[in-house]
Amino acid sequence: MPNSPLTPGIVPARLPAGKIAENFSDHEPPLDAHEARVAADRCYFCHDAPCITACPTAIDIPLFIRQIATGTAEAAATTIWTQNILGGMCARVCPTETLCEEACVREAAEGKPVEIGRLQRFATDTAMAKGLHPFTRAAPTGKRVAVVGAGPAGLACAHRLAMHGHDVVVLERRPKAGGLNEYGIASYKSTGGFAQKEVDWLLSIGGIEIRTGVELGRDTTLEKLTAEYDAVFLGIRPDAIARGPRRGGDRRRDDGGRCGGAVETPWRGKRDHRLSPGAGEDERLGL
């Protein structure tokens, strides 16, 4: 008799192969073109849209939905990526039901919001499937920037730096780039190896080199990086910083600097500029 979910002990094949495949398929299937147009037509295109306020990356949601409604999903993707270069993954994993969709006026009026997350995925998937990368590098500046950490923060930083014409080297201690998107997202939320596809798409702008297996404090130090590069961005998870180094008890980094400085000063360059609201990006880098 085959095993079942009620079979005691640790045994294989509790579920048939088809059921396992179903459990790890898309938990929210993508919209097709017709479904996307129908979903987009539900948007009121609010002027002072509460969904924008609720979005952590302030994407112009009514604009990209209007672009989908008019049959220009590629333009919608550009609108999304301008604010959030990892908008494809965010469309899959962002808790839209407690953010933009919860704030949607149709949710308040009818209990059924516009499907913003699924529409965002439709737009970005459509553009990526066509090989669209709407951003180009500026003229080379001759500046070199090191980015520590190939997670979402490091990758987004690297892409924006590349757009400005800087050469970027991303140092990642793990075998793959992607950080949380690669290692921390349930497979049924990001099927088909999407995390790596999005990394490859992001790198297609050029000017970004990923070096895996390189760990700050083990293979290099902050002092070495600031001597070699014009600026350094620390894209290290706050929880990893709080834990401190793997050895020793004084919560100092292996390179001698206190961990708190990595949080307070994410940019460290020759002139050690701190992030400030309204400052130009190159000025923040000290370039």
Side-chain angles (χ1 to χ4, degrees), residues 1-258:
M1 179 180 294
N3 294 319
S4 76
L6 299 179
T7 303
I10 300 174
V11 295
R14 290 181 179 275
L15 298 176
K19 184 61 177 178
I20 294 174
E22 179 186 340
N23 288 346
F24 284 88
S25 63
D26 258 326
H27 78 301
E28 190 114 15
L31 300 172
D32 62 29
H34 174 73
E35 290 170 332
R37 292 285 289 271
V38 172
D41 281 340
R42 295 189 65 243
C43 182
Y44 287 149
F45 311 117
C46 305
H47 174 64
D48 296 320
C51 56
I52 299 178
T53 304
C55 176
T57 58
I59 294 171
D60 192 336
I61 295 168
L63 174 59
F64 90 68
I65 293 180
R66 184 183 292 275
Q67 290 166 326
I68 292 173
T70 56
T72 54
E74 297 83 358
T78 301
T79 298
I80 294 162
W81 285 328
T82 298
Q83 285 297 115
N84 181 356
I85 199 61
L86 297 174
M89 181 61 80
C90 283
R92 288 163 164 78
V93 304
C94 182
T96 54
E97 67 278 2
T98 61
L99 294 169
C100 55
E101 292 179 12
E102 184 179 58
C104 178
V105 296
R106 298 206 72 151
E107 166 66 18
E110 305 166 13
K112 183 180 179 182
V114 175
E115 295 182 285
I116 298 169
R118 297 181 76 191
L119 286 168
Q120 180 168 316
R121 175 177 175 177
F122 171 77
T124 53
D125 282 5
T126 298
M128 288 178 68
K130 295 182 177 181
L132 173 67
H133 193 112
F135 307 101
T136 56
R137 277 172 57 77
T141 63
K143 301 291 186 180
R144 299 176 70 241
V145 181
V147 172
V148 180
L155 291 172
C157 174
H159 187 273
R160 186 54 60 94
L161 289 167
M163 282 178 60
H164 283 274
H166 307 312
D167 292 320
V168 187
V169 175
V170 182
L171 309 177
E172 168 58 43
R173 68 182 180 88
R174 290 186 171 182
K176 285 182 171 182
L180 176 67
N181 291 357
E182 174 63 32
Y183 293 99
I185 301 299
S187 60
Y188 57 84
K189 292 185 178 181
S190 176
T191 58
F194 181 78
Q196 284 306 299
K197 291 178 182 177
E198 190 171 44
V199 170
D200 293 341
W201 173 85
L202 182 146
L203 296 178
S204 66
I205 192 173
I208 304 172
E209 176 188 354
I210 304 285
R211 297 180 186 173
T212 57
V214 180
E215 183 173 350
L216 184 66
R218 183 191 67 190
D219 305 299
T220 189
T221 65
L222 191 56
E223 282 69 21
K224 289 179 181 178
L225 292 176
T226 53
E228 184 178 352
Y229 295 89
D230 295 287
V232 176
F233 175 81
L234 298 179
I236 302 171
R237 299 193 320 273
D239 64 308
I241 296 168
R243 285 197 305 269
R246 292 190 178 89
R247 58 185 182 276
D250 64 355
R251 293 185 58 154
R252 289 174 177 263
R253 291 191 309 266
D254 290 341
D255 61 12
R258 287 198 177 276

Side-chain angles (χ1 to χ4, degrees), residues 255-267:
D255 61 12
R258 287 198 177 276
C259 295
V263 178
E264 295 169 3
T265 313
W267 295 102

